[in-house]
Amino acid sequence: MKEKIDFMEIAISEAQKGLKIDEVPIGACIVKNGKVIAKGYNKREKSKNAIKHAEIIAIEKACKRLHDWRLNDCEMYVTLKPCPMCAGAIVNARIKVCHYGADETNAQDNLCEKIFSSTRLNHKTELIKEEKYSQECADMLTTFFKQKRF
Amino acid sequence: MKEKIDFMEIAISEAQKGLKIDEVPIGACIVKNGKVIAKGYNKREKSKNAIKHAEIIAIEKACKRLHDWRLNDCEMYVTLKPCPMCAGAIVNARIKVCHYGADETNAQDNLCEKIFSSTRLNHKTELIKEEKYSQECADMLTTFFKQKRF
């Protein structure tokens, strides 16, 4: 079984694919039984679709692969702490653990934590920050936005 | 310009389409300049896809129709108060107002309100409960779950 550090590297290489097509570089992968079953990177601009974040694309692929909307015993690896939409999708899909790299700089309200531990579903998702990859994931985003001069 | 009550009726008729294919009956529509530009109903089971809630389907259709991920000046009408995933998607798509029918009985933590008023985006979505349709929307769900003996 691969080390989880490899899975964060896979998420980072997905983010880099986004960078190549001028998307905000965020990447994700989903792992079951030590194997990557789905990958995705942010395609909001290219797809002109508000839903197409990296995590959503990966979840849809994983559902298709498992022929099930329940992604039981699956873990998500993502370069940026999920936004509320993606955190909600991760819980809805019953993903067990979400590992992330960079923190969202604008999020001061801990919505991701609140969504993952909400009482509305029986399911709760564990959130783990992968400190080792945090700076690399954050730097990709900072560099991207600097080049855009946002 | 149609009255907003008509738009809630359109959302309800979408929910009824879900009922016919044995899905949890939740329906939605998106309105711009007084015209319905997209509709959707929950298809989680049939599509075997955790993402395919009514609101997400409607948002994806609206983005496709407007060729833009930004649904500026659009309003959502939905039979059930949005879950965190859908609330996050509504804010991400910059929808201006979300009108809903039934309250989520399991949600005690006001996550929808928190997501709509989060500081992480400049955009905030207004949430309006359409009291007149609340019971009808709730009854559809109660009847469905009773038949399922959940």
Side-chain angles (χ1 to χ4, degrees), chain B residues 9 16 25 30 71 75 91 113 123 130 132 134 138 146:
Chain B
E9 277 163 9
Q16 285 161 345
I30 296 173
L71 302 180
E75 303 199 14
V91 178
E113 287 82 348
H123 184 78
E130 298 297 343
K132 187 174 168 185
S134 187
K146 261 189 197 155

Side-chain angles (χ1 to χ4, degrees), chain A residues 85-120:
Chain A
M85 171 179 78
C86 293
I90 289 165
V91 177
N92 286 356
R94 305 197 180 168
I95 288 175
K96 197 171 151 187
V97 186
C98 174
H99 306 260
Y100 74 96
D103 275 300
E104 265 213 298
T105 47
N106 294 334
Q108 307 300 328
D109 38 20
N110 294 321
L111 275 172
C112 184
E113 286 82 349
K114 285 174 189 159
I115 292 163
F116 279 179
S117 60
S118 168
T119 53
R120 64 178 287 282

Side-chain angles (χ1 to χ4, degrees), chain B residues 11-79:
Chain B
I12 290 168
S13 79
E14 284 298 302
Q16 285 161 345
K17 288 183 195 169
L19 204 56
K20 279 184 194 149
I21 60 162
D22 207 31
E23 294 276 358
V24 180
I26 303 163
C29 67
I30 296 173
V31 173
K32 183 167 182 167
N33 298 330
K35 278 175 66 179
V36 175
I37 60 162
K39 300 187 286 187
Y41 57 93
N42 175 42
K43 281 184 190 161
R44 187 179 64 170
E45 298 295 338
K46 281 287 176 297
S47 67
K48 299 179 189 299
N49 183 329
I51 312 298
K52 296 298 182 200
H53 285 194
E55 300 95 314
I56 300 285
I57 291 170
I59 288 172
E60 294 203 275
K61 283 184 187 167
C63 289
K64 204 169 175 180
R65 186 151 174 187
L66 300 181
H67 308 291
D68 200 342
W69 62 261
R70 299 165 199 84
L71 302 180
N72 291 328
D73 301 314
C74 287
E75 303 199 14
M76 162 86 72
Y77 290 79
V78 57
T79 57

